[in-house]
Structures are given as C-alpha cells and as structure tokens.
Amino acid sequence: MPEGAGPTAGPSHAVTRALSRNESPHDPSPGILATVAASGRIVNRYPDPACADLILAPAHRHGVEPDRLTATTRLVVTGHPHNPTGTLVGPDELRAFLDRTPPTCLVALDEAYFEYVDEPVGTGGPALCDEYPNLVVLRTFSKAYGLAGRRVGYLAVRRRRNRGAPQLLTTGAVG
C-alpha cells in the first residue's frame, strides 16, 4: 500500500474517525512490527497461559517486581446494548455470563444506550447488582436526554448497608 494511503489518510476527519474507533493514526513502531513478524514462526504453539514474557517486560521497564503485575482479568467492560452494533444480550445470557465471572473480576456494564432498546429486557443491569456484588452498571443522561455537554449520569452498585449521603463524582474527561 502506498505511503499515506492507509485508513487514516486524507483530511483530519479521517484521523478523528480512526480515533473514535480506538485506532491509532500512527503506524506501529518498528519494534512492534518485528515482534509480530517473528511471532509468525510460532503460530502452531499455544501462548503461555501465565503470560510470563508479557509480565516481565513492563516489570523490567518500570523497575518493579513481576509479582506486582498481573495478566489476570480484573475488569470486563461491556456495552449493553453494544454501540455501534446494537447487539443486546438477553437476561438469561447476561446472568450466565455473570455466573461464570469470578467474584474477583469487576464487570462494568455500560448501559449508555439502554433507553433506545425496543425489546422487552426487564430493567437491565441495575436490578442484578444485589445478586452480583462484582457488577457495576453505568448509565448516562448524555445520549437519550441530550445532555452530552453536562456529563451527567449515575453508577448502580450493590445496595450499601450504611445508607449515607450519595457520593458526588465529577469529571470533565469521561465520555
């Protein structure tokens, strides 16, 4: 492919579009390209389930012991419904997923587009928070209520035993 003819070539809106899909407008570094090319020689082998090399490299770089880093999944973030596909997981499928997720793994269910769901799916994630203490549900008023510039929303979590005053969380960088 000729230089500059990639998916981010063209006017600035092409770069913006790539960034909105979590793509980088920059080419991969030579080191990354070399590593990917070299990995082709071992595609017939399963990866190390402990991710030793993946843990050792950043531990060495940051001067910390490898046991301070983990390759264990500690957080799963998923859209419900998913944007941009609109895929919606049914209540039974969602429960089955949550039943299989270890309690040490936080599940963040992003329901930013929940108000656009046409199918009857119950009340969504907030109704499951007491049953699954590792579940948090994110809702926003930005999409359905036209308040994107205000960054207003809420987080549903397991019911607290001590019902003190609600905590206020403000940020200018969360979308």
Side-chain angles (χ1 to χ4, degrees):
M1 181 179 301
E3 186 174 314
T8 58
S12 63
H13 65 75
V15 171
T16 303
R17 194 181 99 222
L19 290 174
S20 71
R21 294 186 309 214
N22 292 329
E23 296 176 356
S24 174
H26 307 289
D27 291 336
S29 72
I32 294 290
L33 293 175
T35 301
V36 170
S39 70
R41 293 189 302 262
I42 57 169
V43 296
N44 59 320
R45 302 282 184 217
Y46 288 114
D48 171 15
C51 302
D53 290 340
L54 184 61
I55 292 171
L56 286 174
H60 177 71
R61 178 183 178 125
H62 297 293
V64 298
E65 294 298 317
D67 64 352
R68 291 188 54 205
L69 303 179
T70 179
T72 303
T73 303
R74 297 287 185 200
L75 171 66
V76 173
V77 180
T78 185
H80 186 252
H82 180 263
N83 177 30
T85 66
T87 305
L88 188 64
V89 175
D92 293 339
E93 295 165 306
L94 181 56
R95 281 180 184 278
F97 169 74
L98 292 168
D99 286 339
R100 290 188 316 267
T101 304
T104 56
C105 179
L106 180 65
V107 176
L109 193 60
D110 181 352
E111 293 189 341
Y113 293 92
F114 195 78
E115 286 81 6
Y116 295 103
V117 173
D118 291 331
E119 306 174 25
V121 291
T123 57
L128 298 173
C129 288
D130 280 342
E131 189 175 343
Y132 299 97
N134 59 326
L135 174 66
V136 296
V137 181
L138 306 133
R139 293 272 182 101
T140 180
F141 298 113
S142 299
K143 311 301 185 225
Y145 301 101
L147 295 171
R150 297 290 176 241
R151 301 289 191 213
V152 180
Y154 59 95
L155 174 74
V157 298
R158 182 179 195 174
R159 184 174 295 130
R160 297 184 310 218
R161 291 178 192 239
N162 178 6
R163 291 188 166 264
Q167 298 293 317
L168 177 61
L169 174 66
T170 61
T171 180
V174 175

